[in-house]
Amino acid sequence: MKILVGIKRAVDYNVRVRVKSDGSGVETDGVKMSVNPFDEIALEEALRIKEAGKADEVIVVSIGNNDVQQQLRTGLAMGADRAIQVETGDTLQPLTVARVFKALAEREGAGIVLLGKQAIDDDCNQVGQMTAALWGRPQATFASKVVIDGTTATVTREVDGGLETLEVDLPAVITSDLRLNEPRFVKLPDIMKAKRKPLDVVPLDELGGHAGAAPATGRHAAPAPRSRGVMVGDTAALVAELKNRGLV
Amino acid sequence: MTNKILILAEHDGATLNPGTAKAVSCAAAITEHGGGTIDILVLGEGIDGVAAQAAAVAGVNAVLVTDAAHLAPPLAVNHGPELAAAAEGYSHVLAPSSTYGKDVLPHAAALLGVNALSDIMAVEGARAFKRPIYAGNAIVDVTVPDDVIVCGTSRSASWPTAAEGGAGAVQARAATSQRAAHTRYQGLAGAGGDRPDLQTARIVVSGGRALGSAENFEILYRLADGLGAAVGASRAAVDAGYVPNDMQVGQTGKIISPELYLAFGISGAIQHITGIKDAGTIVAVNKDADAPIFEIADIGLVGDLFTVVPEIEQQLS
Ligand SMILES: Cc1cc2nc3c(=O)[nH]c(=O)nc-3n(C[C@H](O)[C@H](O)[C@H](O)COP(=O)(O)OP(=O)(O)OC[C@H]3O[C@@H](n4cnc5c(N)ncnc54)[C@H](O)[C@@H]3O)c2cc1C
Ligand SMILES: Nc1ncnc2c1ncn2[C@@H]1O[C@H](COP(=O)(O)O)[C@@H](O)[C@H]1O
């Protein structure tokens, strides 16, 4: 079985993102870029499935310009067998990304498409759901546990009401939540080895190209600020303040 | 073009989730730009009670009820195709930005061949919206082209619950799809309990890594019960296993907007703050005077939560 893993290059989660003063976007010059944290978790899970003997090959996929090769190399260093860059210089909408994953899943005959539940830049939380819909295959989003048993997967999902469990036939789309696992650290020799692993570049048009009318993004603004309030000296003062404001 | 808006109801088979009435407020804001109607789609089995609740939301024109065995429990692979089929003829399709809405809406949008907007927080025009990106560190204006259905989730913390008193017409709508055989529901392990719901409670008491154990969370449950409050937690507290996942507040947990949020032993990481920015008043108790949470707290107290929590409880009783 092959597992396709989505790897999105995104601003590192430790960076405090700032809106550009002209409102045209967010500041990305000189900002640290990383693998979207949910995608690292997705890749870790794929590697564990392979290490348990339940998959033969883990393929990392990123859609973007040549910069994404950096994140694909990180994925290879973590242990993926090969990488595919779907090349485009354009800003992408989740529907286009989903079409790419569907096309690649069919081309590769993938058993699982493992994505992050959400990219921490656009915070869309859509690609997995859209891929499952277009592909007509099971959709197990927000996974905190995945058990592969032959031709099925049992997936525990983090939902508002608690933990939901689904049994799905493979092939299927699974998206990772934070508690699925703790990704491994990359070791230096692995980085060297990763340089020799295959990385194919495929043009976006070969896999369907852009999907439909995209929403246009306009001005970016900083959120309404919350400012520092008052500090109180002890519990009595805290309770008095709460009572004064009619909150308790 | 007048707006014709369809809202996907969220419910547990018996009760309409408040996120639905919040989505109605978002829809009402859309109708301020060119008028229009608001319908609600209820999918499930044995859902007349839910349909009646949906019809009673002020501003609702019609409630479409698709009652079919394969629509319970609410799986995206079954609800997505029904929502997409029901969407025909509508200008907008909305769902609450809960885990349910986020699971189903993008699925339906893909079947309709359109892009989707997550977490609509403001309406600027019938096709112009604001939504948060980068964990709420930026708010972006988004405009949807004229010739496509607007599909989006409404960010619950941004919208008030629409009032009751509506008299929508309840109409049966036949199912167009069948159960997806490739996906089987195995159950839901709900944390349950009778404490108020995190997303609708007026007061939320929340704890972080500093609590140190599941047992220690008891002091927060006691305080919360005295206040009639819900209990939340940081990711660190959930990861450590002190509390279940459905209590997590933040970028990847629940985004909440209570009148009063009391944070005990939470440092104030950006991902946590994202979840509480819309709270009326934020109170922080932390033993580190430099904790980032104090930068956004309305009332701050430097102190040990294990002393302060029992003191608050005592002074309020
Ligand atoms: C992609 C991603 C998504 C994330 N999503 C979320 C999310 O949705 N929600 C979330 O919360 N986090 C999220 N996080 C994690 C977040 O970055 C922080 O790690 C987490 O919020 C820290 O939790 P904490 O404040 O409880 O713990 P800590 O940061 O360890 O803080 C504990 C605090 O307790 C104080 N303290 C210790 N003892 C006491 C005492 N006795 N009395 C009073 N104060 C005391 C300390 O001074 C400290 O400030 C996410 C991270 C990533 C990478
Ligand atoms: N450009 C991309 N390249 C590779 N994977 C992507 C890309 N965009 C999104 N994904 C995958 O889809 C997931 C969800 O993204 P989103 O729906 O945009 O929040 C991410 O966690 C990735 O796994």
Side-chain angles (χ1 to χ4, degrees):
Chain A
M1 179 173 74
K2 291 185 193 179
I3 305 179
L4 287 184
V5 179
I7 297 284
K8 187 172 189 187
R9 172 181 165 94
V11 170
D12 188 85
Y13 81 94
N14 283 310
V15 172
R16 223 192 152 85
V17 170
R18 291 189 196 287
V19 173
K20 286 185 187 161
S21 52
D22 65 359
S24 63
V26 303
E27 215 50 84
T28 48
D29 282 355
V31 164
K32 184 177 178 210
M33 303 297 285
S34 299
V35 175
N36 179 41
F38 289 98
D39 299 352
E40 251 189 312
I41 295 170
L43 175 54
E44 175 65 35
E45 196 63 20
L47 295 172
R48 290 185 191 186
I49 293 169
K50 187 187 163 195
E51 284 157 4
K54 293 173 175 167
D56 313 301
E57 193 179 28
V58 174
I59 307 163
V60 283
V61 179
S62 193
I63 308 160
N65 63 19
N66 289 347
D67 292 341
V68 306
Q69 291 190 4
Q70 243 176 332
Q71 279 63 44
L72 287 173
R73 291 285 172 207
T74 304
L76 292 170
M78 269 180 76
D81 300 291
R82 63 186 167 97
I84 300 174
Q85 176 199 357
V86 180
E87 207 227 322
T88 170
D90 303 340
T91 325
L92 296 166
Q93 290 291 324
L95 186 58
T96 300
V97 177
R99 292 224 309 209
V100 168
F101 278 106
K102 181 211 176 218
L104 276 178
E106 286 172 346
R107 180 191 277 201
E108 297 282 350
I112 304 176
V113 174
L114 236 165
L115 307 173
K117 84 162 176 184
Q118 134 184 17
I120 62 161
D121 47 9
D122 63 22
D123 281 333
C124 276
N125 194 335
Q126 296 174 7
V127 171
Q129 296 85 318
M130 290 182 156
T131 306
L134 298 177
W135 195 18
R137 294 305 308 167
Q139 167 176 328
T141 50
F142 325 148
S144 63
K145 190 172 174 212
V146 175
V147 179
I148 306 293
D149 181 10
T151 56
T152 66
T154 303
V155 181
T156 305
R157 308 178 54 231
E158 296 205 357
V159 297
D160 288 341
L163 294 172
E164 183 189 272
T165 306
L166 297 182
E167 186 191 59
V168 300
D169 294 336
L170 302 178
V173 177
I174 298 174
T175 75
S176 64
D177 214 318
L178 288 170
R179 273 170 285 280
L180 184 55
N181 59 50
E182 286 249 10
R184 65 196 64 187
F185 287 103
V186 173
K187 293 186 269 335
L188 197 59
D190 297 330
I191 297 176
M192 303 312 289
K193 253 196 283 177
K195 291 194 173 134
R196 293 191 300 273
K197 290 186 180 174
L199 191 162
D200 295 329
V201 181
V202 181
L204 179 65
D205 288 340
E206 202 176 294
L207 294 167
H210 276 282
T217 52
R219 216 183 104 74
H220 290 62
R226 272 196 94 104
S227 46
R228 186 181 270 274
V230 298
M231 296 299 288
V232 293
D234 57 23
T235 308
L238 172 61
V239 171
E241 193 69 41
L242 288 173
K243 284 188 171 155
N244 265 341
R245 300 187 189 196
L247 290 165
V248 291
Chain B
M1 191 177 81
T2 57
N3 304 295
K4 202 162 179 287
I5 306 172
L6 182 66
I7 295 172
L8 175 65
E10 176 165 3
H11 62 88
D12 60 3
T15 310
L16 189 68
N17 182 295
T20 313
K22 288 169 184 272
V24 172
S25 294
C26 177
I30 295 170
T31 61
E32 281 170 25
H33 302 270
T37 54
I38 302 170
D39 296 348
I40 295 185
L41 175 67
V42 185
L43 303 175
E45 189 184 20
I47 42 178
D48 291 348
V50 177
Q53 292 161 41
V57 178
V60 171
N61 167 61
V63 176
L64 313 180
V65 185
T66 305
D67 191 323
H70 76 282
L71 298 177
L75 302 187
V77 284
N78 296 320
H79 281 206
E82 284 298 331
L83 177 59
E88 198 176 323
Y90 285 91
S91 60
H92 296 68
V93 177
L94 298 177
S97 63
S98 55
T99 50
Y100 168 72
K102 289 192 163 171
D103 204 26
V104 178
L105 195 278
H107 187 110
L111 294 178
L112 292 166
V114 302
N115 279 291
L117 301 178
S118 299
D119 303 310
I120 295 170
M121 59 188 292
V123 172
E124 307 280 294
R127 298 184 157 264
F129 307 94
K130 287 187 187 293
R131 60 170 300 259
I133 54 175
Y134 291 97
N137 281 312
I139 310 297
V140 64
D141 291 340
V142 186
T143 310
V144 181
D146 279 337
D147 48 353
V148 299
I149 301 182
V150 177
C151 285
T153 54
S154 68
R155 183 173 177 273
S156 294
S158 299
W159 299 99
T161 305
E164 287 183 28
V170 177
Q171 302 162 8
R173 177 193 162 276
T176 54
S177 63
Q178 287 174 344
R179 187 184 296 277
H182 54 51
T183 302
R184 295 166 294 277
Y185 178 81
Q186 307 264 287
L188 176 70
D194 358 302
R195 280 199 187 86
D197 174 56
L198 245 186
Q199 265 154 324
T200 49
R202 192 181 74 83
I203 305 179
V204 172
V205 172
S206 202
R209 192 196 311 271
L211 268 294
S213 69
E215 294 71 50
N216 287 344
F217 252 85
E218 285 301 328
I219 62 170
L220 294 191
Y221 294 134
R222 271 217 319 270
L223 176 63
D225 291 346
L227 290 166
V231 182
S234 71
R235 176 185 167 194
V238 178
D239 283 0
Y242 306 160
V243 295
N245 68 289
D246 53 8
M247 283 171 59
Q248 181 176 317
V249 172
Q251 180 188 12
T252 49
K254 289 179 175 140
I255 311 275
I256 59 175
S257 54
E259 263 174 56
L260 175 61
Y261 186 77
L262 299 143
F264 296 98
I266 293 179
S267 60
I270 180 76
Q271 296 90 357
H272 188 81
I273 302 302
T274 301
I276 60 170
K277 261 196 263 196
D278 296 304
T281 301
I282 296 175
V283 172
V285 176
N286 193 303
K287 68 179 184 191
D288 173 8
D290 295 324
I293 195 155
F294 288 128
E295 286 162 31
I296 56 112
D298 299 287
I299 309 174
L301 171 60
V302 177
D304 188 323
L305 74 95
F306 294 105
T307 321
V308 174
V309 172
E311 281 176 1
I312 298 178
E313 208 189 335
Q314 194 193 8
Q315 292 179 24
L316 283 178
S317 63

